[in-house]
């Protein structure tokens, strides 16, 4: 008997300004005490999981490279975030951070797609058949949109963090969709 593998659909998410409250320009979420889930996040993520999407977090966290907070503190934030989401039935399939400073010109700092490639490679080693045409990158900055475009993902720019719709004329890349927040992005994704 042969089994046909189902294509794996992915929603790549930025963290700050998408899952949790944006700390402000040039600011960082430095501890779990500073981390605040945005309204409706847990429900939106659960809806995506229930529709068969794997959720992966792709986030620049240069505060570690700058010595503003430690890798241990970042790990604690992540552990607590995943634990709270899990309590609501949300499964995050992976969290990938670039902790380098911009000056280091690494391949993993968005808008480069190194972390997306690492995440996809890991899923493939687990037997996933990736369907990038049916996958999305959701973020609150144009840098997130550029990252998604590099890998030909559908992109959704949300306005719960850094970017504002009034800046549209200055965007270096145009998103496929825009939404107020992750709840609105989930509505777009689930309509297909």
């Amino acid at each position: 008997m042969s089994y046909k593998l189902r294509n794996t659909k992915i929603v790549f998410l930025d963290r700050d300004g998408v899952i949790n409250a944006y700390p402000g320009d040039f600011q960082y979420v430095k501890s779990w005490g500073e981390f605040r889930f945005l309204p409706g996040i847990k429900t939106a993520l659960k809806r995506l999981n229930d529709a068969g999407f794997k959720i992966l977090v792709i986030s620049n966290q240069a505060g570690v490279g700058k010595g503003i907070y430690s890798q241990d503190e970042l790990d604690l934030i992540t552990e607590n975030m995943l634990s709270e989401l899990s309590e609501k039935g949300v499964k995050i399939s992976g969290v990938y951070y670039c902790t380098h400073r911009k000056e280091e010109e690494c391949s993993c700092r968005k808008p480069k797609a190194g972390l997306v490639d690492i995440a996809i490679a890991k899923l493939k080693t687990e037997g996933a058949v990736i369907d990038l045409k049916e996958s999305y990158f959701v973020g609150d900055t144009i840098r997130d949109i550029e990252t998604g475009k590099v890998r030909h993902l559908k992109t959704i720019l949300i306005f719960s963090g850094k970017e504002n719709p009034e800046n549209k004329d200055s965007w270096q890349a145009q998103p496929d969709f825009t939404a107020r927040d992750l709840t609105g992005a989930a509505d777009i994704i689930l309509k297909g």
Side-chain angles (χ1 to χ4, degrees), residues 26-122:
F26 309 109
Q27 301 297 314
Y28 299 92
V29 176
K30 302 179 293 300
S31 68
W32 177 243
E34 295 178 2
F35 187 99
R36 301 280 180 272
F37 283 105
L38 287 167
I41 289 302
K42 296 170 186 175
T43 301
L45 293 174
K46 180 80 167 76
R47 288 173 61 212
L48 292 169
N49 274 163
D50 290 349
F53 284 91
K54 288 198 177 288
I55 299 169
L56 297 164
V57 176
I58 306 287
S59 179
N60 291 348
Q61 293 293 326
V64 173
K66 293 177 179 179
I68 296 170
Y69 52 97
S70 68
Q71 181 66 52
D72 287 344
E73 197 62 49
L74 179 60
D75 292 344
L76 181 62
I77 292 168
T78 303
E79 180 182 316
N80 287 323
M81 175 185 76
L82 294 176
S83 176
E84 280 207 25
L85 291 172
S86 179
E87 287 172 11
K88 296 297 182 184
V90 174
K91 180 173 180 3
I92 302 293
S93 297
V95 178
Y96 299 88
Y97 295 125
C98 171
T99 57
H100 301 109
R101 290 173 290 116
K102 184 178 182 179
E103 306 79 56
E104 294 178 69
E105 297 185 15
C106 64
S107 63
C108 58
R109 183 176 169 82
K110 294 180 296 182
K112 294 178 183 170
L115 289 180
V116 170
D117 295 340
I118 291 167
I120 289 170
K122 183 170 188 315

Side-chain angles (χ1 to χ4, degrees), residues 15 27 31 38 40 61 80 87 108 117 124 134 136 140 148 158 182-183 190:
R15 194 191 80 181
Q27 301 297 314
S31 68
L38 287 167
Q61 293 293 326
N80 287 323
E87 287 172 11
C108 58
D117 295 340
K124 285 183 177 178
E134 295 303 318
Y136 293 79
D140 68 317
I158 61 174
L182 189 58
T183 298
L190 295 174

